[in-house]
Amino acid sequence: DFQDYFVRRGHSDAVTGVTFKGIEEAHPTSQVDTALEEASAIIFCPSNPIVSIGPILWVPGMREGIESSQAPKVAISPIVGGEALKGPAAGMLRSLGHEVSAAGVAAIYRGLIDGIVIDNLDRALAPRISEMGIQVEITDTIMNSQADRAALAEQVLGFCRKLAVESAGR
């Protein structure tokens, strides 16, 4: 179980697979469907793509609902400079065969997101991510204060607005 892995064993084990018991019985509620239809942006917070965002995407119908939304979809990479700022994301990505980088995160979300926000430390990865068909916004993503959180939120929302305008122009 996740709590045993994360708390008791301090997420020190190599993860070779992840399953969610009962996920096949889960489904988005009508409120979730409405929210996706009416969203002006869908933002994937800088969280572990395997055990934080993954369970949401693995709910039957959820990924399809996000994909069908006309809103810009933007992820914020939880990996900065090849490391997770906290938690087991880097180790999980590595042991599951994913690249531990903002580009690795972008690859996981490829086909689902329109853009990704990466840290200035990962600027060199932008061309690789762009080649995946994902637009890149580069900024400071490390949040040590309320001002940092507010600045990142404004940057992400501005990026979403830019993507919405570009999409409307096509």
Side-chain angles (χ1 to χ4, degrees), residues 2 5-6 11 15 18 20 44-58 76-79 84-94 96 98 105 108-109:
F2 183 77
Y5 154 79
F6 189 77
H11 53 82
V15 176
V18 176
F20 296 98
F44 295 66
C45 295
S47 298
N48 186 321
I50 307 297
V51 295
S52 294
I53 305 298
I56 297 166
L57 298 177
W58 291 331
I76 305 161
S77 177
I79 303 296
L85 296 179
K86 65 178 188 174
M92 278 187 173
L93 291 171
R94 187 175 297 107
L96 290 169
H98 299 284
V105 173
I108 290 171
Y109 293 140

Side-chain angles (χ1 to χ4, degrees), residues 29-96:
T29 64
S30 61
Q31 293 91 340
V32 169
D33 291 338
T34 299
L36 290 174
E37 289 169 13
E38 297 176 358
S40 57
I42 298 173
I43 300 168
F44 295 66
C45 295
S47 298
N48 186 321
I50 307 297
V51 295
S52 294
I53 305 298
I56 297 166
L57 298 177
W58 291 331
V59 169
M62 192 64 178
R63 186 178 188 99
E64 295 79 8
I66 293 170
E67 287 172 346
S68 67
S69 172
Q70 297 304 303
K73 297 165 235 2
V74 171
I76 305 161
S77 177
I79 303 296
V80 176
E83 296 294 329
L85 296 179
K86 65 178 188 174
M92 278 187 173
L93 291 171
R94 187 175 297 107
S95 66
L96 290 169

